[in-house]
Amino acid sequence: MITQKGQSIEDKSMEIIDSEIGTHPYSPDEWTIVKRIIHSTADFDFARDNKVVFHKDAIQSAIDALQKGCNIVVDVNGVIGGFNKDNMKKFGNQVICNISDPIVIEEAKKLNKTRAQTSMRLAAKQMNRGIVAIGNAPTALVEVVQMIKEGLTSPALVIGIPVGFVCAVESKDELRASNVPYITNIGRKGGSPCASAIVNALYKILAARKSS
């Protein structure tokens, strides 16, 4: 629960972002998400060169899934650290991260894959009709896209915003070419705080709709 002082700082930050960015091409709901990413990173590139890209069904699909208590599958524990846990409690959403599971570690060694890849395979059923939030590992995003192609899972939304120099750009390109609702960005930038910010923003949109 945010304090009054904390809320005033957040509100001021959002005002600064609005004033500095000026005009932008995003819808109100999309801007809620992009603005929260900028707030978490202090990086205006997410509205410019490294712009955030939305599948046309992304926000509605995610809102519907969250309301139904869907799972939220993440690639690393760092994404969980940025979540507003009150939201999950309110709607009964379970957060799943298998990156440190001994089974994942052993299987990754055996198959010569990354733990992130293997952890996604382990969560195939749990991410079905749920939200996948990837902020750190491009190989996790590649694996999820491949699993969708194989018909092993069908998430309501894939948030694919991994950071990095190896495969980060390519993994996002593959996501945009897929037939799943997605939120991603152009380029190498990203990170766990971005993935967390997107999920938190989706809850804000959901709360605004329920109160209207």
Side-chain angles (χ1 to χ4, degrees), residues 94-119:
Q94 182 181 358
V95 181
I96 297 161
C97 182
N98 294 321
I99 193 73
S100 298
D101 189 310
I103 295 174
V104 167
I105 296 169
E106 186 61 33
E107 191 73 5
K109 289 178 181 177
K110 186 190 303 182
L111 299 175
N112 193 30
K113 289 189 172 185
T114 67
R115 287 192 293 155
Q117 283 177 287
T118 311
S119 70

Side-chain angles (χ1 to χ4, degrees), residues 65-165:
L66 289 172
Q67 287 190 100
K68 294 174 183 175
C70 74
N71 293 327
I72 303 173
V73 178
V74 305
D75 58 336
V76 294
N77 286 309
V79 176
I80 300 173
F83 285 158
N84 181 333
K85 311 303 189 300
D86 290 339
N87 291 323
M88 283 83 186
K89 291 178 183 176
K90 182 175 181 179
F91 292 98
N93 307 111
Q94 182 181 358
V95 181
I96 297 161
C97 182
N98 294 321
I99 193 73
S100 298
D101 189 310
I103 295 174
V104 167
I105 296 169
E106 186 61 33
E107 191 73 5
K109 289 178 181 177
K110 186 190 303 182
L111 299 175
N112 193 30
K113 289 189 172 185
T114 67
R115 287 192 293 155
Q117 283 177 287
T118 311
S119 70
M120 293 296 114
R121 286 274 164 178
L122 184 63
K125 291 182 179 178
Q126 292 165 305
M127 69 176 65
N128 202 33
R129 296 183 296 279
I131 292 176
V132 181
I134 297 171
N136 184 75
T139 57
L141 182 53
V142 170
E143 198 73 12
V144 169
V145 173
Q146 182 59 37
M147 288 160 56
I148 292 167
K149 289 178 181 177
E150 294 171 11
L152 296 178
T153 191
S154 181
L157 174 71
V158 176
I159 297 167
I161 196 160
V163 62
F165 296 97

Side-chain angles (χ1 to χ4, degrees), residues 6-7 29 45 51 60 78 88 105 118 127 140 162 176 187 206:
Q7 188 63 59
D29 283 344
D45 276 357
K51 66 180 181 180
Q60 188 60 55
M88 283 83 186
I105 296 169
T118 311
M127 69 176 65
R176 290 196 303 277
L206 173 54

